[in-house]
Structure formats: structure tokens, C-alpha cells
Amino acid sequence: MEYKVLTDQDIQFFQNLIGKENVLLLDLEKYSADATENLEFYPDVVLKPNSVEEISKIVAFCNENLLPITPRGAGTGLAGGALPIKGGVVLSVENLNQIIQIDEKNFQVIVEAGVINYVLQEALSEKNLFFPPDPSSWQSSLIGGNISTNAGGPKAVKYGVTSNYVLNLEVVLPNGEIIWTGANTLKNSTGLNLTQLFVGSEGTLGIITKAVLKVIPKPEKDISILVPFYDLEEACEAVSAIFHAGVNPSALEFLEQRAIDAATEFLFADANSSFEKNSEIQAHLLIALDEKIEIDLQKLVEVVSKFHIGEILFAENETEKARIWLIRRRVAEIVKINGYTIEEDTVVPRANLGKLVKKIHQMADENDFKVVCYGHAGDGNLHIRINHPEFKNSYNVPEIQLILAQLFQIVKNLGGTISGEHGIGLIQKPFLPIVFSKANLELQKTIKKTIDPRNIMNPGKIY
Amino acid sequence: MEYKVLTDQDIQFFQNLIGKENVLLLDLEKYSADATENLEFYPDVVLKPNSVEEISKIVAFCNENLLPITPRGAGTGLAGGALPIKGGVVLSVENLNQIIQIDEKNFQVIVEAGVINYVLQEALSEKNLFFPPDPSSWQSSLIGGNISTNAGGPKAVKYGVTSNYVLNLEVVLPNGEIIWTGANTLKNSTGLNLTQLFVGSEGTLGIITKAVLKVIPKPEKDISILVPFYDLEEACEAVSAIFHAGVNPSALEFLEQRAIDAATEFLFADANSSFEKNSEIQAHLLIALDEKIEIDLQKLVEVVSKFHIGEILFAENETEKARIWLIRRRVAEIVKINGYTIEEDTVVPRANLGKLVKKIHQMADENDFKVVCYGHAGDGNLHIRINHPEFKNSYNVPEIQLILAQLFQIVKNLGGTISGEHGIGLIQKPFLPIVFSKANLELQKTIKKTIDPRNIMNPGKIY
């Protein structure tokens, strides 16, 4: 379908509707990129509406006039989902930033899509409540974006990902109609699960404007533990063993040593990050416990001691925990600066993690690129960062796409899939036929087409 | 659309495909009813295929020949989802009863749709594993049916409902194509969430043939506690208070006293069920704990002691626990025998439970019917059983439908919805416009129509 080119009359319409100050035509750099590789696509206009009613009218107008809309949160995505590859309208939900209600009695909150994850966390913390999904981008990423990508984060291993906390959504459909998808209840067997159809749909089916989220009581105490491993694969094997011992970690992260070293050097002048520095250490597991801590700690030490490990570090004070987690939180951006520009978000059944790490390192050796891995090992979710001497992007680079196709075939053979928490967006789209059958993909496309027949919502993504 | 009437040639086709012994034409009583009220609809033929390939061929044939298919598990549903109201084919998955793999390393199982919930539980228990969803029908209901209705059960309050354990599904689409919906991973942000679209879709979008389910380590120990309340609403208020004290119950059930009395009388010759017998007691909370038991027990006693309660009973030994839970498990069927034939599956935000219980009792008084309530109070999921002097069914009875419409409007106003774990099926269908907007319902219908354009899959249900 041929999209219309934005006209002065269109701009006039938008200005009348949401006010001139919310219609941006110049200095759109900020809206031309996200956290994905080194990609840049400029929209024709950025709209920052202030209400669901305004969004409804914008969407209805764009639908009628065949103007493509790219919905945008904070632009922290890692798959290019927020990039306006067809130009047209970027619709930012940043002005919808109200926490509407914290219902302490029912452990629920109602938020607008533009609330920053961190802001919600802080507001909840004051009331001893807790919203577990906290991707590394939590200090800037918006709840609407978290929902659209089904974001995870370190605590997903115990508490689940974003989808597990979304009870009900207000959504503007591609025809401009506003719906609530479900009910504000913990259980729901009433009709099709539209709520979960929109979670993770990356703005391709409509625009999420409000969410009713489940929250839980804030854990009273937590402790972080660092276990250095002399062998990469053993670190992965230990992950499975920890669960089999009955330990219930609130985080179980894997970090390759070269990622830790890069982050330590970047962040700490004294190079002291609490992680063990030893050229023979290949990886660390970073484990958190927040319930039955004594019992689980004992089991944990027993299990990991069977492997070839360095000295275990127990971090109980806030300063030390903060230092350790800063490394984990910022590792992606730091290794990216160091040339590891291409990030993958593979996920496999947990016990197959060791095989995956081994294979990707073999591939790197054979194909003369560098690789560094880290991620949410407890979920089997491994982030693989690639530093290729010649290519810094995967998008539209056949050499890299060949490597990735090979990688995803391995992941598929291990029972896994392409993305655990980042989404498909733009850059992973070519690889879907590796993990989905033709009939499955056809069904996804048919659903998209049915809901958005004129393909105005985030065109060129996923499908 | 006009369905075709089943012919001898159709029967011949089915017999050739799956064997005469799996094509039933006589004595179809068993397949004409489920556990819903007193309803009966006869199919023209019952097919019991032995493989997904056979199912694929049956479905493709029915699609081409416009024969309606009603998929069936064990027929324990409470919303009429398995009733063949258009005649035609009942497709029973009972022969697909293999546990294909228990992957202890990854805490996953692969099962066919016809595996009995209880059989899976037993097989897992031997390996110290645990699949939390266990509806009251667990001794006979099939995993395929549990998934199709998104079944819950008492443990959902801590561990979640069926949807939280379904990682991947093998589904036969209405055109006969076979797909896997997702991947065998704990996290997944790869494309639309087809898996959760099929969970709870009650056989209207396709036939679930296999499932990859997440399982968890079996809790080492558990204890059940009975708290008798002198006041119905106070019992409901205590539910919220328990969570606010930080207690994490593995079950939190509410039972009105008249339900307990009926079940006790029916099940125990000596009328000793461990529940307090006292004409002034109006309800019991039945609470289970399976983690940090000592700490939670102390908090629990402290909280409930603030209410007007009888003597708390602590059940640690297996015999006493079994006796208590037998009452809870069988209460529905027993009150049904006693004339409470109409069962509702309302769900509201937890703190609104008291208001709901009060309102339904007011309605009963004003409209001269009897009501008894019980259910998964921790989830806000209240089963309401109605004994009407004149009407034993809700289906097609305007007087009852008027009462239910009023009830569901109250539920809606309390932030709740029609079904927490039973589904919509046949009997709840008329009430969907109370909880869904026109645009929402239209979207659901459009998705159904897109996936099943000839409306052969469980026609007349949900939409």
C-alpha cells in the first residue's frame, strides 16, 4: 500500500488538535533512533498528544489518510521497533505520564503508558509495593514500551515478565476506537485474551494508552552473591544445578568476564567492582535471594562448590549491591561503546545454555568476529553481543545476517527462540521463518491484517 | 451459515481414517452433556482420533464439508463449552493420552491434550515436580480442556492459573493445518502471543493437541488452616487483610457455612469434617501455606484474630487435610444435587469480595431464590450457586437471565468480570455485552472469523 506524503493541511490538523507545542517538525534527531545498533530513520512529524481522546483522533485521521504511525515510548528498544522506517508520524506517549491510582487494597495500579518504569517503582516503594519487571533501561523506559515488548529484566526468573503483571489495557485500535481489553482481576476466562495479544505486539496492533498492573508486596530484604567460574560452560551448568537444589533465586545472571572487565574499567576509576579479577576466571554468576535467604544460601553454596570456582562474594550492604548491579545494568551500553554493536536476545530452555554459549564462541572463532555473552541465565535468556571487524550493523548486512541465521538455527534446534524480552521490531524480522512455520507466520500476518487492514500501525515491523 | 447434515459417506470417510472402533454413532449420552446445569445436546457422531495427523484430516474434511465440530475433553466444564449445540461432530481428544516427556533438567513436560490432570500430577510427584493448576475436576478433567478454559483451582492464588504454565501449544487450525504456537522457553518476545490466544479460547479457534508445560519443584511441606467466621462479610474482609500482612498463602478458599454443612452431611456418616459446626458460624476460610510456614502462620493468626472468629484449626496430618479438601473439592457437585443447579464464576478485585457477597444475598432475598457462595477468595474468584424454586437452568430462561444480568452488572461495577476460570461457552454468552464494549466484542468476533471463516470450530460458543 502506498502511504500518503504528509501535507501542510495534515500538520494544521494535528496542530489544531493537540496544540502547536506538541507537533514537532524540526530537530527530530531524538526521535530518529533508539538503542538499536547504529540505525537512523527520520519521521516527518512527531506528535505528543496529551490524552487518549487525542490519540484516538490522530489514529483515525492517519487511518483515513493513509499516514504511517510509529508509536514511541522512551526509545530504549533494542530491536528497532520504535524506528519510523516509513517516515510519517512518530506518536510519542511521553505526555501520558500519570500514575492514575495506586490501589493498595487490591495490589493494583492504573498507569498511563508514558510513566517511566523507575518513577512507578519509586512511587510503589513508598507504599511497600513492588512491580518486578525492570529492564536495564528502567530509569528511562516507559511502561507502554515495556508492555509493547513484553520486557523482562533480572527479576523475571522468580517473578515473571511484564505480561505476568498486565491485567487490563486501554488500547486505541487502528480505526481510532478505544477499548479496554479485559478486566481488573487476577483471573479471567472471559472471552479471547485480547490483553495478551497486545502485550508484546510492538505497536503493530494499536496504541496502548493505559494499563492496570498487578503489583506485589515488596520483599523485605535481599542479598546478592557473586560466584566466579573458571570455565564458561560450567557456569551455565551450575544454573540448572541451582534450581535442582530447590533454590528460588530472585535473580540469576550470567556475565562473561570480558564484559565485566570492560564495564569495571569504564565505571570505576579504582577498577574495584567486587567482581573477582583473575585472568583465569571466565565468567561470573550473579545471584540474588530475597526469601528464605538462609536456607537457600546454604543450598546455593553447596551446589556451586561442586564446580571449579573462585571465591564467593556475599553482598548484603546497599553500597556493595549497588556497585555490583551497576555493572550488570550498564554492561550492554559499555560493550556497545567498545565495538560490540550487534546485540541478540536469544532464549533457550535453561539447561541448554551451556551448549549455546559454546556454539556461539565456536562460530566467532570460525568467522573471525568477537563475541561477549551475558544475560538472564535463570530464564535461559542469553544476550549475545557481536563485535565484527567490518560490520557494525546487522540490518541489511548480508554477511552478518548469514551469521545470525546460523545462530538462530542453533537456538531453534535447542528448543529456543529469537527474542526473550527485546522483541522482533525491524532487525529480527528476516529470521522469523527459522523459528515459525509458514502456517504460524501466515496466522500472525492474518491477525495483523484483520486488526489493521490499512497497515498504518508501525508498518514494516515484525511481519 | 447452513451446516451440512452428516451423511453415510461422511461416516465412511471417518471410519476409514480412524477405524470403526473410534467412530461412535450409538449410545452417545456421555457426549451429550457436561457438568453444566441440566443441559443435553446430542451430536451426530463422536470421533476419537489417535493422532494429530488424524485430527488434521478430520478438521480439513469438516471445514470443506461444513460440518460443525465440538472439541471435547472430559466434559467436566461448567459453561457448556463442550455441548454440541449444532449437532455434527464431537471430536474427543481422550485417546491422545500420552505424557511424551518429563524434562526434569528444564522443568518442562510435553503432554498430549488427552492426559488427565491427575495422571500428570502423579507422574510429576514421583519426580518431585509439580503442575499447580488443579481444578476441582482434576481427577477426570483433561489437560486440553484445562488449557481451553484457562482453568484455575485453589493453588492459583500463589502459583497462577493454567495460562501461566503453558509455554507452547500444538494446534490444529480450522483449515486443518498444524502449528506450534511458540517456543519451549520461559520468556518469549518473538512475534504475536499466539499461545495465549489459544489458551482460554474454548475450542473456537482450533484444536489443542499437545502442550509444553512449565512445572516447578514440589513444595516440601504444607499445612491447611480453617478459620470459622461469625460474619460473612468479615470473612471476605479478612482475605485482603491476610495479604496485607505479607502472608503468601498457597490457597485461600472461602466457603459459606451452608455449603460446608451440605457437603459434610453428604460425605461423612459421622458428620465430622473438621469444619466448626455452630449455627452462628456463617463461613470458613480455608488457608494453605507451603513456604516460610512458621512466619506466615504467626502473621495469619494475628490478622484473623482481629475478626469475630471461632476456633482456628491447624491441619498438618495427611488424613485431616484430605478430609478438609474433600469438602472443598466436592462442594459444587453436592450443592448441585441439593438443588443449587446454576453456578456462576464471578471474579472481582479481591478487596471487593465482601460487597459482592452482600449484594448477591440481597438479590436472593429480594427475588425469592436461595444462594450459596464459595470459591477462590484469594483471587477474588467467587462461585455463586443459585437454587431457584421454579427454574433449574439459566440457559434460555428469561427470569434467570434477568437475575444474572443484574449480578454481572454489579460485578462489572466492582471492576470484575463474568468468568474467572470456567469460561463463557454457551450459557454466559448473552452477558458479554455487560463487561465488554461493542468495539471489544467486535474485535473478538473478527479474530474468530479470520481464523475460522466457515465457523466450524465449536460454533455457537463465546461469540
Side-chain angles (χ1 to χ4, degrees):
Chain A
M1 208 175 280
E2 195 79 32
Y3 293 106
K4 209 190 77 170
V5 177
L6 193 78
T7 65
D8 287 348
Q9 275 144 322
D10 298 335
I11 293 167
Q12 190 69 54
F13 172 85
F14 293 136
Q15 287 177 336
N16 290 342
L17 181 65
I18 65 175
K20 270 193 178 177
E21 69 282 13
N22 293 313
V23 179
L24 312 187
L25 293 160
L26 298 169
D27 302 326
L28 304 184
E29 288 87 343
K30 184 183 149 192
Y31 298 93
S32 72
D34 62 4
T36 312
E37 301 180 358
N38 300 313
L39 302 174
E40 218 177 35
F41 295 88
Y42 276 78
D44 298 315
V45 63
V46 174
L47 304 180
K48 305 198 292 178
N50 292 293
S51 69
V52 61
E53 291 78 18
E54 288 181 0
I55 293 178
S56 164
K57 284 175 189 156
I58 291 168
V59 174
F61 181 85
C62 291
N63 194 39
E64 202 179 313
N65 291 284
L66 265 177
L67 289 167
I69 302 174
T70 304
R72 185 179 174 95
T76 56
L78 290 158
L83 298 174
I85 58 168
K86 306 280 183 191
V89 172
V90 158
L91 193 155
S92 167
V93 296
E94 66 198 278
N95 287 348
L96 280 76
N97 58 7
Q98 296 302 303
I99 297 174
I100 296 169
Q101 190 196 16
I102 298 182
D103 179 353
E104 291 180 72
K105 267 189 166 176
N106 283 306
F107 292 92
Q108 289 181 8
V109 297
I110 307 177
V111 293
E112 290 190 311
V115 171
I116 295 171
N117 183 304
Y118 169 80
V119 171
L120 177 62
Q121 300 288 356
E122 288 292 295
L124 289 172
S125 184
E126 281 174 25
K127 297 179 188 296
N128 259 314
L129 294 171
F130 173 49
F131 175 67
D134 61 342
S136 285
S137 60
W138 71 315
Q139 288 188 309
S140 52
S141 65
L142 308 186
I143 293 295
N146 295 166
I147 294 171
S148 293
T149 53
N150 194 12
K155 300 190 188 89
V157 64
K158 177 171 178 180
Y159 294 105
V161 293
T162 303
S163 64
N164 298 110
Y165 292 85
V166 180
L167 302 180
N168 199 357
L169 290 173
E170 185 189 67
V171 176
V172 176
L173 298 177
N175 61 9
E177 281 186 296
I178 303 165
I179 64 164
W180 279 96
T181 55
N184 302 357
T185 56
L186 292 170
K187 296 163 84 174
N188 195 341
S189 290
T190 309
L192 293 185
N193 196 338
L194 294 183
T195 306
Q196 294 303 328
L197 187 64
F198 284 98
V199 174
S201 65
E202 303 186 51
T204 63
L205 303 181
I207 296 177
I208 293 165
T209 47
K210 287 192 195 80
V212 181
L213 304 173
K214 171 181 150 180
V215 295
I216 59 175
K218 193 175 149 189
E220 286 162 19
K221 203 192 150 189
D222 67 274
I223 170 177
S224 291
I225 302 113
L226 279 179
V227 188
F229 282 80
Y230 286 95
D231 184 77
L232 214 54
E233 278 178 79
E234 275 201 13
C236 296
E237 279 167 40
V239 173
S240 259
I242 288 167
F243 287 95
H244 274 274
V247 178
N248 190 10
S250 58
L252 206 179
E253 300 288 308
F254 166 88
L255 290 126
E256 256 192 68
Q257 200 61 19
R258 72 174 89 175
I260 296 167
D261 291 343
T264 304
E265 195 180 324
F266 188 90
L267 290 167
F268 301 107
D270 64 353
N272 178 13
S273 67
S274 295
F275 286 80
E276 183 164 330
K277 277 175 297 184
N278 174 334
S279 62
E280 287 177 49
I281 295 294
Q282 294 196 340
H284 274 73
L285 290 185
L286 162 52
I287 302 142
L289 302 173
D290 68 358
E291 222 176 359
K292 55 185 180 79
I293 294 180
E294 286 77 34
I295 300 168
D296 274 7
L297 199 53
Q298 198 184 334
K299 287 181 188 168
L300 179 69
V301 171
E302 208 172 294
V303 173
V304 295
S305 299
K306 290 176 188 159
F307 296 89
H308 193 206
I309 60 170
E311 198 175 334
I312 303 175
L313 182 134
F314 305 92
E316 282 191 79
N317 78 63
E318 296 307 316
T319 318
E320 187 159 32
K321 279 192 287 185
R323 201 163 53 209
I324 291 170
W325 280 98
L326 186 66
I327 297 266
R328 175 61 193 92
R329 292 281 186 192
R330 297 195 56 191
V331 66
E333 78 184 87
I334 294 164
V335 298
K336 188 180 177 188
I337 293 167
N338 287 4
Y340 292 82
T341 48
I342 299 166
E343 172 160 326
E344 302 308 321
D345 177 39
T346 56
V347 57
V348 293
R350 189 193 287 149
N352 298 341
L353 214 49
K355 285 180 200 154
L356 178 58
V357 170
K358 191 177 166 183
K359 290 264 190 187
I360 183 66
H361 276 279
Q362 276 176 359
M363 278 178 64
D365 290 345
E366 289 163 12
N367 295 276
D368 293 318
F369 61 85
K370 286 194 283 183
V371 69
V372 63
C373 300
Y374 50 84
H376 314 300
D379 293 317
N381 186 195
L382 190 74
H383 299 316
I384 298 171
R385 279 256 175 201
I386 291 172
N387 181 347
H388 197 283
E390 289 178 60
F391 308 107
K392 293 302 165 199
N393 283 334
S394 67
Y395 182 65
N396 273 347
V397 176
E399 289 84 349
I400 299 291
Q401 298 211 336
L402 211 65
I403 290 168
L404 295 182
Q406 204 184 328
L407 168 65
F408 292 137
Q409 190 58 58
I410 291 164
V411 167
K412 165 75 176 169
N413 295 347
L414 292 172
T417 193
I418 291 172
S419 175
E421 56 177 25
H422 293 173
I424 296 306
L426 176 65
I427 63 165
Q428 308 299 9
K429 202 171 62 160
F431 309 108
L432 287 187
I434 296 172
V435 291
F436 289 129
S437 68
K438 207 169 155 238
N440 178 312
L441 275 178
E442 209 44 59
L443 180 54
Q444 293 193 46
K445 281 180 199 166
T446 306
I447 292 171
K448 157 74 175 175
K449 207 173 168 183
T450 301
I451 298 179
D452 181 19
R454 289 163 74 84
N455 196 24
I456 59 150
M457 289 304 313
N458 213 357
K461 309 298 168 58
I462 307 185
Y463 321 97
Chain B
M1 209 174 281
E2 194 81 30
Y3 294 106
K4 208 191 76 170
V5 177
L6 191 80
T7 64
D8 286 348
Q9 274 144 321
D10 299 334
I11 293 167
Q12 190 70 52
F13 172 84
F14 294 135
Q15 286 177 337
N16 289 342
L17 180 65
I18 65 175
K20 270 192 177 175
E21 69 282 13
N22 293 313
V23 178
L24 312 187
L25 294 160
L26 298 169
D27 302 325
L28 304 183
E29 289 87 343
K30 184 183 148 192
Y31 298 93
S32 72
D34 61 6
T36 312
E37 301 181 356
N38 300 311
L39 302 174
E40 217 176 35
F41 295 88
Y42 277 78
D44 296 316
V45 64
V46 174
L47 304 179
K48 303 199 293 177
N50 293 294
S51 70
V52 61
E53 291 77 18
E54 288 180 1
I55 293 177
S56 164
K57 285 175 188 156
I58 291 169
V59 173
F61 181 85
C62 290
N63 194 38
E64 201 179 314
N65 291 284
L66 266 177
L67 289 168
I69 301 174
T70 305
R72 186 179 175 94
T76 57
L78 290 158
L83 299 174
I85 58 168
K86 306 281 184 190
V89 172
V90 158
L91 193 156
S92 167
V93 296
E94 67 198 278
N95 287 349
L96 279 76
N97 57 7
Q98 295 302 303
I99 297 174
I100 296 169
Q101 192 196 14
I102 298 181
D103 179 350
E104 290 180 73
K105 267 189 164 175
N106 284 306
F107 291 93
Q108 291 180 8
V109 298
I110 307 176
V111 294
E112 291 190 311
V115 171
I116 295 171
N117 183 303
Y118 169 80
V119 170
L120 177 62
Q121 300 287 357
E122 289 292 296
L124 290 171
S125 185
E126 280 175 28
K127 297 179 190 295
N128 259 316
L129 295 170
F130 174 48
F131 176 67
D134 61 341
S136 286
S137 59
W138 71 314
Q139 288 188 308
S140 52
S141 65
L142 309 186
I143 294 294
N146 295 165
I147 295 171
S148 294
T149 53
N150 194 11
K155 300 190 188 90
V157 65
K158 176 170 179 180
Y159 294 105
V161 293
T162 303
S163 63
N164 298 110
Y165 292 85
V166 180
L167 302 180
N168 201 357
L169 290 174
E170 185 189 67
V171 176
V172 176
L173 298 176
N175 61 10
E177 281 185 296
I178 303 166
I179 64 164
W180 278 97
T181 55
N184 302 356
T185 56
L186 292 170
K187 295 164 84 174
N188 195 340
S189 289
T190 309
L192 294 184
N193 196 339
L194 294 183
T195 306
Q196 294 303 328
L197 187 63
F198 284 97
V199 174
S201 65
E202 304 185 50
T204 64
L205 304 181
I207 297 176
I208 293 164
T209 47
K210 286 192 196 80
V212 181
L213 304 172
K214 171 182 151 181
V215 295
I216 59 176
K218 193 175 149 189
E220 284 163 19
K221 203 192 150 190
D222 66 275
I223 170 176
S224 291
I225 303 113
L226 279 178
V227 187
F229 284 79
Y230 286 95
D231 184 79
L232 214 54
E233 280 178 76
E234 276 202 11
C236 294
E237 281 167 40
V239 173
S240 259
I242 288 167
F243 287 95
H244 274 274
V247 179
N248 190 10
S250 59
L252 205 178
E253 300 287 308
F254 166 88
L255 291 125
E256 257 190 67
Q257 201 60 19
R258 73 175 88 177
I260 296 167
D261 292 342
T264 304
E265 195 181 325
F266 187 91
L267 291 167
F268 300 107
D270 64 354
N272 178 10
S273 67
S274 294
F275 287 80
E276 184 165 331
K277 274 173 302 182
N278 173 336
S279 61
E280 286 175 49
I281 295 293
Q282 292 195 341
H284 274 72
L285 290 185
L286 162 52
I287 302 141
L289 302 173
D290 68 358
E291 221 176 0
K292 55 184 179 79
I293 294 179
E294 286 78 32
I295 301 168
D296 275 6
L297 199 53
Q298 199 183 334
K299 288 181 187 168
L300 178 70
V301 171
E302 209 172 292
V303 173
V304 295
S305 299
K306 290 176 187 158
F307 295 90
H308 194 207
I309 60 169
E311 197 175 336
I312 302 175
L313 182 135
F314 305 92
E316 284 192 77
N317 79 65
E318 295 307 316
T319 318
E320 188 160 31
K321 281 193 284 185
R323 201 161 55 206
I324 291 170
W325 281 98
L326 188 65
I327 297 267
R328 173 62 193 92
R329 292 278 186 194
R330 297 194 56 192
V331 65
E333 81 184 84
I334 294 165
V335 298
K336 187 180 178 190
I337 294 168
N338 287 3
Y340 293 82
T341 47
I342 299 166
E343 173 160 325
E344 302 308 320
D345 178 38
T346 58
V347 58
V348 293
R350 190 193 284 151
N352 299 341
L353 213 50
K355 285 178 198 156
L356 178 58
V357 169
K358 191 177 166 184
K359 291 265 191 184
I360 183 67
H361 276 279
Q362 276 176 358
M363 279 179 64
D365 290 345
E366 289 164 10
N367 294 276
D368 293 318
F369 61 84
K370 287 194 283 183
V371 69
V372 64
C373 301
Y374 49 84
H376 314 300
D379 293 317
N381 187 195
L382 189 73
H383 300 314
I384 299 170
R385 279 257 174 201
I386 291 172
N387 181 347
H388 197 283
E390 289 178 60
F391 308 108
K392 293 303 164 197
N393 283 334
S394 67
Y395 181 66
N396 272 347
V397 176
E399 289 84 349
I400 298 292
Q401 297 211 336
L402 210 67
I403 291 168
L404 296 183
Q406 205 183 328
L407 168 65
F408 292 136
Q409 190 57 58
I410 291 165
V411 167
K412 165 75 177 167
N413 295 346
L414 293 172
T417 193
I418 292 171
S419 175
E421 56 176 25
H422 294 172
I424 296 306
L426 177 66
I427 63 165
Q428 309 299 10
K429 201 171 62 160
F431 309 108
L432 288 187
I434 296 172
V435 290
F436 289 129
S437 68
K438 208 169 155 243
N440 177 310
L441 274 178
E442 210 45 59
L443 180 54
Q444 294 192 46
K445 281 180 199 165
T446 306
I447 292 171
K448 157 72 175 176
K449 206 173 168 182
T450 300
I451 298 180
D452 181 19
R454 289 164 74 84
N455 195 24
I456 59 150
M457 287 305 311
N458 212 358
K461 308 298 168 58
I462 306 186
Y463 322 95

